[in-house]
Amino acid sequence: MSGTELTLTLSGGTAADARAVVRALEPAFGAPEEEPPADDRVTVHTARFEHDPADPPPGGAPGTGGHLSGAVTVTVQGSPQAVAKARERLGHTFTAQEQGSVSGDQEQEWQLLLEP
């Protein structure tokens, strides 16, 4: 794996909430491999970002994800650098409370509660 890979899982929100969280991360990671589903019947939304640090994504300003309809639980998983960058971006865009983490040799996972 070259570059930075980040996987985002969002539960407890709507499709619009998932899009808002993805948009908050796009200045740092670029567009996700696939857009989250637009169907509000989906209960868990996922997005995967893959970014080569040698090819910076456009922008770089703090994310402008928008508003959330309510509290959502987000799990970010990837390299320590990618997870730290995602936590920073989400914390600048939303009110974020850390709910826990798991660290491995080359990967981290953080769970955050994002509030509107």
Side-chain angles (χ1 to χ4, degrees), residues 5 10 59 63 68 72 84-85 98 100 104:
E5 187 174 304
L10 181 139
L68 298 173
V72 297
K85 187 184 290 188
E98 295 181 2

Side-chain angles (χ1 to χ4, degrees), residues 30-72:
E33 291 183 358
E34 293 182 18
E35 286 293 319
D39 187 348
D40 277 330
R41 295 176 294 180
V42 174
T43 59
V44 176
H45 299 272
T46 60
R48 185 171 159 208
F49 299 86
E50 190 164 340
H51 165 63
D52 184 348
D55 182 25
T64 55
H67 300 287
L68 298 173
S69 64
V72 297

Side-chain angles (χ1 to χ4, degrees), residues 75-86:
T75 302
V76 290
Q77 180 181 15
S79 71
Q81 300 85 359
V83 171
K85 187 184 290 188

